[in-house]
Amino acid sequence: MIQDVKFVDIQVGDKASMSKTVTEYDVYTFAGLTGDFNPVHVNAEFAKTSMFKERIAHGMLSAGFISAVLGTTLPGANTIYMGQELAFKAPVKIGDTVTATVEVIEKIEAKNRLIFRTYVTNQEGTIVIDGKATVMKK
């Protein structure tokens, strides 16, 4: 269910999150949709020779979960995604359960804009992505 939190009801400190277990299907589908067939994502033999020693999910796949939270939960519908800063801190492996969280850190009343701290953690609580997003809320 998609929420539509009104701008007036959003406060600094409000948070929302979603969790997803990343599957092999997710990685191959993302590769097919984007054309990013980097072998560290899709070739197990190649990935064994990489610094990760196994296949990892695309960083932007995990970043997409941030978009999902912003567009469906907080603020939800009628949100215009204006910008995103990302720092990839750790790999996401196939089978990891990641949680994307957004937290309001600034509210700009005059422009109906919200600034969020955005981060994704794995099942061990390790931050795999850290960043900041700017949205406009109608």
Side-chain angles (χ1 to χ4, degrees), residues 12-136:
V12 171
D14 288 353
K15 279 186 181 183
S17 60
M18 67 161 280
S19 296
K20 165 103 173 71
T21 300
V22 176
T23 66
E24 187 162 345
Y25 176 81
D26 297 327
V27 172
Y28 279 114
T29 300
F30 190 86
L33 288 169
T34 62
D36 182 354
F37 289 96
N38 181 325
V40 76
H41 305 305
V42 298
N43 182 318
E45 290 305 310
F46 176 88
K48 286 179 189 175
T49 68
S50 75
M51 64 186 280
F52 304 109
K53 305 297 182 208
E54 63 185 300
R55 290 174 47 216
I56 60 168
H58 302 76
M60 293 306 289
L61 172 62
S62 295
F65 303 138
I66 295 168
S67 178
V69 177
L70 291 170
T72 65
T73 307
L74 181 66
N78 293 309
T79 296
I80 299 169
Y81 209 155
M82 299 180 69
Q84 177 74 58
E85 296 173 21
L86 296 171
F88 299 100
K89 301 291 193 177
V92 172
K93 300 172 183 174
I94 295 169
D96 281 356
T97 298
V98 294
T99 301
T101 303
V102 303
E103 178 180 1
V104 180
I105 59 172
E106 186 178 349
K107 187 173 179 180
I108 306 167
E109 302 272 349
K111 295 186 176 188
N112 282 14
R113 295 208 175 127
L114 299 161
I115 311 297
F116 288 85
R117 176 175 181 222
T118 58
Y119 56 97
V120 180
T121 57
N122 66 16
Q123 66 278 0
E124 297 167 357
T126 301
I127 293 177
V128 298
I129 297 177
D130 201 4
K132 183 167 77 168
T134 303
V135 304
M136 182 173 18

